[in-house]
C-alpha cells in the first residue's frame, strides 16, 4: 500500500492538474513496477476526441510499448481518480497487480465525474444492461479461433 506522500500518486495528481489547465479533465495516471516509474499520462479525450483516451489506458499503452510486452505483470497503477470499468478491465487483462486512486467516485459525483452508474450497469446480467450485447455470427462462419490457435 502506498504511503500518503507516494511520489507516483503525487505525479498522477500533478498530471491531472496540468491537464485541467490545458482544457482537459482532472485525470492523470502513472504505471510503476518494482518502485520504478514506467509510464505516465493525462486524460486526452478533450483533444483527441477519443472516448477511450483515459489517463490509465494511455499510461498502460505506453508501459506496454516501453516494456515491449502486452503483459504488465507486477505493475501498479496510480490514478488521480477512481478507475472506470473500462480502465479497470484493461488492468485485469494485462496483469496489473494493484491500482490506487486519490479521488473516489463519491468525490467526483458532484462534478459529473463518477463512474458508479457504469459499475452498476456492468454488475447486471447482460440481458438487463442498457446496451444490447448479443451473439450474431453470420451463417457458415466458423473456425476463427481455431485458425488463430493453429498459427500460434
Amino acid at each position: 500500500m502506498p504511503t500518503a506522500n507516494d511520489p507516483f500518486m503525487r505525479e498522477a495528481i500533478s498530471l491531472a492538474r496540468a491537464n485541467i489547465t490545458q482544457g482537459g479533465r482532472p485525470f492523470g495516471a502513472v504505471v510503476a513496477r518494482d518502485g520504478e516509474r514506467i509510464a505516465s499520462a493525462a486524460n486526452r479525450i478533450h483533444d483527441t476526441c477519443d472516448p477511450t483516451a483515459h489517463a490509465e489506458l494511455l499510461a498502460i499503452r505506453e508501459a506496454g510499448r516501453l516494456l515491449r510486452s502486452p503483459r504488465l505483470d507486477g505493475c501498479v497503477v496510480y490514478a488521480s481518480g477512481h478507475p472506470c470499468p473500462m480502465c479497470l478491465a484493461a488492468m485485469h487483462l494485462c496483469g496489473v497487480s494493484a491500482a490506487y486512486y486519490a479521488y473516489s467516485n463519491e468525490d467526483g459525483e458532484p462534478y459529473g465525474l463518477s463512474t458508479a452508474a457504469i459499475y452498476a450497469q456492468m454488475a447486471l446480467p447482460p440481458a438487463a444492461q442498457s446496451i444490447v450485447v448479443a451473439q450474431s455470427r453470420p451463417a457458415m462462419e466458423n473456425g476463427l479461433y481455431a485458425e488463430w490457435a493453429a498459427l500460434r
Side-chain angles (χ1 to χ4, degrees):
M1 186 81 146
T3 65
N5 289 310
D6 189 288
F8 299 129
M9 185 60 78
R10 292 258 178 229
E11 181 180 354
I13 294 168
S14 178
L15 286 164
R17 282 209 163 91
N19 203 41
I20 292 170
T21 67
Q22 297 172 12
R25 299 176 128 220
F27 300 110
V30 174
V31 175
R33 184 168 64 192
D34 299 327
E36 179 184 334
R37 180 188 171 284
I38 306 296
S40 64
N43 182 292
R44 305 278 7 133
I45 65 174
H46 69 286
D47 61 356
T48 64
C49 298
D50 176 354
T52 69
H54 290 201
E56 298 93 331
L57 287 184
L58 296 174
I60 286 169
R61 289 173 189 157
E62 181 67 3
R65 187 186 71 75
L66 291 170
L67 295 173
R68 302 182 56 78
S69 174
R71 297 294 308 167
L72 299 181
D73 298 297
C75 286
V76 176
V77 173
Y78 297 83
S80 61
H82 190 285
C84 76
M86 174 180 65
C87 294
L88 185 59
M91 291 178 210
H92 280 286
L93 287 168
C94 70
V96 164
S97 63
Y100 300 105
Y101 58 90
Y103 288 86
S104 69
N105 272 322
E106 292 78 15
D107 294 327
E109 182 67 38
Y111 308 98
L113 297 173
S114 174
T115 57
I118 300 169
Y119 271 102
Q121 272 293 307
M122 300 295 292
L124 296 172
Q129 293 181 21
S130 62
I131 184 171
V132 176
V133 178
Q135 186 174 13
S136 179
R137 186 183 310 173
M140 307 295 284
E141 172 56 47
N142 60 45
L144 179 65
Y145 294 166
E147 290 174 35
W148 171 79
L151 291 175
R152 292 187 70 187

